Amino acid sequence: MGLVTRDYYGDARVIAVQLGEIGLDDWAAKIEHVLEGGATSSEILMGLRWNLRQLLADNPGGLSDELSGSVAELADAIDGVLR
């Protein structure tokens, strides 16, 4: 069985698009900024994890249970990679 890798950046971009669709453009921009501005993969993943956790802590209106779950799941997955 082959190794399955996850596209953390792609998953983060999907979340950014979904945030933009519900009017949370500032959060979408924060995620895109981390993806575009990071120098190393570790830096990008740490930035994504931090912003995703902050998004959940801020709990802005408009986050569906499904989107909130996707954000939490990605943050947890990134946490596992960084350990």
Side-chain angles (χ1 to χ4, degrees):
M1 183 173 183
L3 177 66
V4 176
T5 58
R6 180 170 183 172
D7 181 5
Y8 298 97
Y9 298 0
D11 292 348
R13 282 192 172 91
V14 167
I15 288 172
V17 167
Q18 292 173 333
L19 291 170
E21 289 173 348
I22 61 171
L24 296 175
D25 297 326
D26 55 334
W27 283 105
K30 289 177 186 183
I31 291 171
E32 287 295 336
H33 178 74
V34 169
L35 291 167
E36 294 169 7
T40 67
S41 59
S42 293
E43 181 183 352
I44 293 168
L45 290 175
M46 287 187 290
L48 286 174
R49 178 181 60 182
W50 190 86
N51 278 285
L52 294 170
R53 296 272 188 232
Q54 288 300 116
L55 172 61
L56 292 172
D58 188 44
N59 193 23
L63 276 185
S64 67
D65 289 343
E66 181 179 346
L67 181 52
S68 181
S70 294
V71 169
E73 193 278 327
L74 180 56
D76 290 344
I78 291 170
D79 194 44
V81 168
L82 292 174
R83 288 188 179 186

